[in-house]
Amino acid sequence: EPATNRPPAASWMPDSRRLVLAGNPAPSSGATLWLADTRSESLSRLLADPSGGQTTPSVSPDGKRLLFTKLEVDRDIVELPLDGSAPRTLLATSLPEFAPAWSPSGDQFAYVTRRNGSDELWVRSKEGNWDRPVVTAKEFPTLEALVSPVFSPDGSRIAYTAVLAGGGRRRSLAISPAAGGTPTIVADGYAPTWSPDGSKIAFLWIKPDGSTPVAIISVGSDRPPT
């Protein structure tokens, strides 16, 4: 495992053996996309452009496509076929769109946009024929930022982190219905990922003492994370 300048963002391929990483070997700056094989311990670059600015990968459920954020002065959402064909921009406006995440069906994706001046979580069809909000300032009046959305395995819910003003910029791990509605805050933390049955979430838990262990919380339970 080569040393990286920061922990790389990652998204598993369906075979649970390979994964796409967004990072660069230290001391390089920025991030580029790599395909990693956990058995052979090999790394191969997915895009020829080594300049960086490729982050938050999300592999489609069939393993044939990849969404990622292309960092420029503006941020856009790009789909990269994993058969070597050319990338295709799915969403590009004069405002930032970033942090995409495929739904389990692969026909829609969640993303963060600043179309109304502050971070909002929206869901959009792959073809772009519909686009709707899930989380806005209405749900979180003190919202400063939204981070790392991810669909539940059945596609009905989205977990994410809401960074809220006050109290030292609290980072709240929350769940919202994918169709929109009242969010549920489950813990302080970020970087969620669902268990295959959708009953638990693994995440980085921000404990009262300031430490951030990897933890698991049962969805819908009053039990604290472990």
Side-chain angles (χ1 to χ4, degrees):
E1 177 186 352
T4 55
N5 56 5
R6 61 174 59 90
S11 181
W12 282 103
M13 297 285 286
D15 59 14
S16 295
R17 166 181 169 174
R18 297 170 298 156
L19 65 163
V20 176
L21 302 175
N24 263 332
S28 299
S29 60
T32 53
L33 297 172
W34 301 80
L35 183 64
D37 190 312
T38 60
R39 292 186 189 173
S40 66
E41 299 185 356
S42 63
L43 280 174
S44 57
R45 196 188 297 272
L46 288 177
L47 288 174
D49 179 11
S51 61
Q54 304 152 14
T55 68
T56 60
S58 177
V59 176
S60 62
D62 60 9
K64 296 180 179 180
R65 296 163 294 156
L66 173 72
L67 287 180
F68 67 95
T69 301
K70 182 178 180 182
L71 292 180
E72 296 177 331
V73 176
D74 172 26
R75 285 182 275 182
D76 301 325
I77 294 176
V78 179
E79 180 185 62
L80 176 65
L82 293 176
D83 60 3
S85 53
R88 181 171 72 96
T89 299
L90 291 187
L91 183 57
T93 71
S94 60
L95 297 171
E97 299 92 20
F98 53 98
W102 285 111
S103 70
S105 61
D107 62 351
Q108 56 188 282
F109 60 91
Y111 68 100
V112 179
T113 175
R114 291 180 184 154
R115 67 184 66 191
N116 294 312
S118 59
D119 281 8
E120 297 179 348
L121 179 62
W122 285 59
V123 172
R124 181 181 179 90
S125 71
K126 179 177 175 292
E127 292 76 17
N129 54 354
W130 57 264
D131 199 15
R132 54 178 169 76
V134 176
V135 178
T136 67
K138 175 184 176 182
E139 286 74 31
F140 292 106
T142 61
L143 182 67
E144 289 193 353
L146 287 168
V147 187
S148 57
V150 59
F151 275 93
S152 63
D154 64 1
S156 67
R157 295 162 292 172
I158 302 175
Y160 54 92
T161 296
V163 181
L164 306 177
R169 298 184 79 241
R170 179 184 176 191
R171 285 179 287 180
S172 298
L173 182 67
I175 300 172
S176 284
T182 302
T184 301
I185 295 176
V186 296
D188 288 340
Y190 55 98
T193 184
W194 294 83
S195 64
D197 64 1
S199 66
K200 298 180 177 66
I201 291 177
F203 68 108
L204 292 175
W205 180 23
I206 303 174
K207 298 184 68 177
D209 63 7
S211 61
T212 53
V214 175
I216 293 174
I217 191 167
S218 296
V219 178
S221 169
D222 293 332
R223 294 192 300 271
T226 57

